[in-house]
Amino acid sequence: STVRWNHLFNDRLFLNSTTLFSDYNYDVNIGGEDGENDGFSITSKIQDLSLKEDFEYYINPENTLKFGASAIYHTFVPGQITPEENSNINSIILQEKYAWETAAYISNDMDLSEKVKVNAGLRYSWFSQVGPGDVYTYDQDGDITETETYGDGEIVKTYSGLEPRLGITYRLNEQRSLKASYGRNRQYLHLVSNSNSGTPIDLWIPSSNNVKPQIADQYAVGYFQNFNENAYEGSVEVYYKNMQNQVDYKTGAELIFNENVESQLLFGDGRSYGSEFYLKKNTGRFTGWLSYTLSRTEREFEGVDFGEVYPATWDRTHDMSLVGMYKLDKKWTLSASFVYRTGDARTYPVGKYEIDGEIINMYDKRNKNRLPNYHRLDLGATKIIKTTSKFESSLNISIYNAYGRRNAYVVNFQED
């Protein structure tokens, strides 16, 4: 939910104030087998309450200044297990976590000449883990070395740093341009996905006294061109991203509903690089676009595969989207979109052994395997019912996954 207030101070200065509340959560219900009382539900969520103040100051037609500040209060509910009635499963509620995230920024859009445009910006961000709650410190083996209890709002750990960015556009002529950019980002919330798990439930954790913020430096260069009096537009871009303080899990880690989940984590570096191709048709009864990305996302951790480079869980070699829209008449428009991408990386078992009657799986190198490639076709039809100077009403009918592709969400292995 959002409340926004805009104010025009004068012809040059504009303010946009935003108050926002968001509640991101998932609830997974796992029913018990017939005759067995082992059904339960898993709940996890992140709640944010934020305030943003964004100013725009038009110095002149060739120079626009933007500046502002923001503050977010995060509430993390790492997980809760609620058993079904008469279930043998125990109820578990993990300790909630809290944090403040604030930032201030300034940026300038400048037309240095008819051919050169520059966007330069600087942002400074802060992140503070706060109480109430118990805070643990771990050694390299994951053992607790220190426990402290913090009161409501008491600061546990603070991180901060600069995030510069620079973008330059050079117009070769009316139809062609070159673009180059650099940007640094700090990420204070971390996604940990266990690619060994039979149920791939994502785990979000905040930066803390044990987990540093991730830092990414991205470089990109692109060529852009319009064709046939702007009826078509296309682009080719290459990028490289260097990432520090990446978060992954130890081999054999217990991530789900572990109060000491930070003891199961490893930290290392990563990189992502690739090429993006884009072609769009803007005019006529038939419009649409084709986009394709060829990329790699890799990680390197001392505690994984003896320091060898391995693909990230979300590494996708190929990622393609094809979208088409056809205007039958003034009221009816037909649409279709097709998406295709390489399956996510997973770690499959390659063997097993038995200890005291318990089967233990043996795994190969991290993320060496893949889910089947993902693809689907969506179809739609839209009819404009009424249009006035202030309102437009329309009816849309859509078919999701038109040919019923059974894309894999999880791969399970049966004991043999």
Side-chain angles (χ1 to χ4, degrees):
S1 58
T2 303
V3 177
R4 180 176 289 116
W5 178 70
N6 299 328
H7 182 67
L8 190 64
F9 292 96
N10 51 49
D11 292 342
R12 293 187 175 186
L13 183 59
F14 177 79
L15 169 64
N16 187 349
S17 300
T18 305
T19 301
L20 185 146
F21 171 78
S22 68
D23 186 358
Y24 170 83
N25 65 80
Y26 61 74
D27 189 359
V28 179
N29 296 296
I30 301 176
E33 299 291 338
D34 292 340
E36 297 184 12
N37 296 323
D38 57 359
F40 61 95
S41 65
I42 299 174
T43 303
S44 182
K45 64 181 178 180
I46 303 174
Q47 287 185 343
D48 287 346
L49 180 62
S50 64
L51 173 66
K52 297 194 297 180
E53 300 288 341
D54 299 308
F55 292 85
E56 287 191 32
Y57 181 62
Y58 298 93
I59 301 174
N60 54 52
E62 292 79 30
N63 209 336
T64 301
L65 191 67
K66 299 179 181 180
F67 56 96
S70 64
I72 307 173
Y73 184 72
H74 299 287
T75 300
F76 301 88
V77 181
Q80 177 176 336
I81 291 182
T82 305
E84 293 181 353
E85 188 176 359
N86 300 323
S87 175
N88 296 325
I89 303 296
N90 294 324
S91 176
I92 300 176
I93 301 177
L94 299 186
Q95 176 181 265
E96 294 186 2
K97 298 183 178 181
Y98 309 92
W100 277 102
E101 183 176 354
T102 56
Y105 75 92
I106 185 170
S107 68
N108 192 197
D109 290 319
M110 298 172 285
D111 291 348
L112 298 184
S113 67
E114 292 185 358
K115 290 191 173 184
V116 180
K117 293 185 178 181
V118 175
N119 173 267
L122 188 62
R123 185 174 183 267
Y124 195 89
S125 62
W126 298 262
F127 185 92
S128 293
Q129 176 192 10
V130 297
D134 296 328
V135 176
Y136 307 101
T137 302
Y138 307 94
D139 59 20
Q140 292 183 345
D141 296 326
D143 297 323
I144 297 176
T145 60
E146 186 178 355
T147 303
E148 290 189 55
T149 300
Y150 288 82
D152 190 7
E154 191 174 356
I155 295 178
V156 179
K157 182 69 175 181
T158 297
Y159 297 98
S160 64
L162 289 171
E163 301 176 26
R165 60 192 59 191
L166 176 67
I168 301 174
T169 300
Y170 182 78
R171 293 180 59 188
L172 299 172
N173 53 39
E174 291 293 331
Q175 289 79 36
R176 301 178 180 88
S177 64
L178 297 174
K179 296 182 181 180
S181 65
Y182 162 76
R184 163 168 282 204
N185 290 284
R186 297 175 185 271
Q187 181 172 314
Y188 299 103
L189 308 187
H190 313 284
L191 173 64
V192 182
S193 298
N194 190 341
S195 58
N196 295 344
S197 175
T199 305
I201 297 174
D202 293 334
L203 178 68
W204 288 92
I205 61 173
S207 295
S208 67
N209 58 314
N210 299 299
V211 183
K212 296 180 180 179
Q214 298 180 59
I215 300 175
D217 293 287
Q218 179 166 302
Y219 310 82
V221 177
Y223 173 77
F224 300 78
Q225 181 171 348
N226 292 351
F227 308 88
N228 295 351
E229 297 180 349
N230 298 327
Y232 298 88
E233 62 180 85
S235 64
V236 179
E237 284 190 276
V238 294
Y239 69 90
Y240 181 86
K241 181 188 291 186
N242 181 63
M243 295 173 282
Q244 307 172 41
N245 302 332
Q246 297 293 282
V247 182
D248 214 326
Y249 57 91
K250 297 177 181 178
T251 301
E254 293 292 335
L255 299 181
I256 306 301
F257 295 97
N258 184 348
E259 186 71 70
N260 301 308
V261 67
E262 293 179 2
S263 69
Q264 305 292 297
L265 302 180
L266 295 172
F267 307 97
D269 297 324
R271 59 178 176 267
S272 179
Y273 52 92
S275 303
E276 298 181 345
F277 305 87
Y278 180 73
L279 180 63
K280 182 179 181 182
K281 184 177 185 293
N282 295 313
T283 59
R285 298 178 69 178
F286 176 76
T287 58
W289 68 85
L290 170 66
S291 64
Y292 170 72
T293 301
L294 176 66
S295 65
R296 293 283 293 173
T297 303
E298 300 170 330
R299 321 188 95 186
E300 188 174 358
F301 286 65
E302 288 186 6
V304 177
D305 297 335
F306 304 101
E308 293 184 13
V309 174
Y310 65 96
T313 302
W314 50 87
D315 170 62
R316 294 171 184 165
T317 308
H318 307 285
D319 196 330
M320 184 186 74
S321 297
L322 177 61
V323 177
M325 291 159 286
Y326 185 76
K327 192 169 185 177
L328 287 175
D329 52 37
K330 293 182 179 180
K331 291 187 175 181
W332 281 98
T333 300
L334 303 179
S335 62
S337 64
F338 175 76
V339 295
Y340 175 93
R341 64 173 183 260
T342 302
D344 289 352
R346 288 290 186 268
T347 308
Y348 290 165
V350 294
K352 63 180 181 179
Y353 56 90
E354 184 176 338
I355 296 180
D356 296 331
E358 182 179 358
I359 299 297
I360 307 298
N361 289 326
M362 300 165 57
Y363 293 94
D364 203 345
K365 293 183 177 180
R366 182 76 58 92
N367 291 342
K368 183 179 179 180
N369 308 101
R370 293 276 179 176
L371 292 179
N373 293 335
Y374 180 101
H375 56 84
R376 75 169 197 273
L377 174 68
D378 301 336
L379 302 174
T382 301
K383 180 183 180 181
I384 297 177
I385 298 175
K386 187 177 181 181
T387 302
T388 67
S389 59
K390 293 184 177 181
F391 299 98
E392 177 181 292
S393 57
S394 61
L395 175 68
N396 175 266
I397 302 172
S398 299
I399 301 175
Y400 179 86
N401 194 12
Y403 54 79
R405 164 70 174 176
R406 298 167 75 87
N407 288 299
Y409 172 67
V410 62
V411 173
N412 291 313
F413 293 84
Q414 292 181 332
E415 292 186 8
D416 184 5

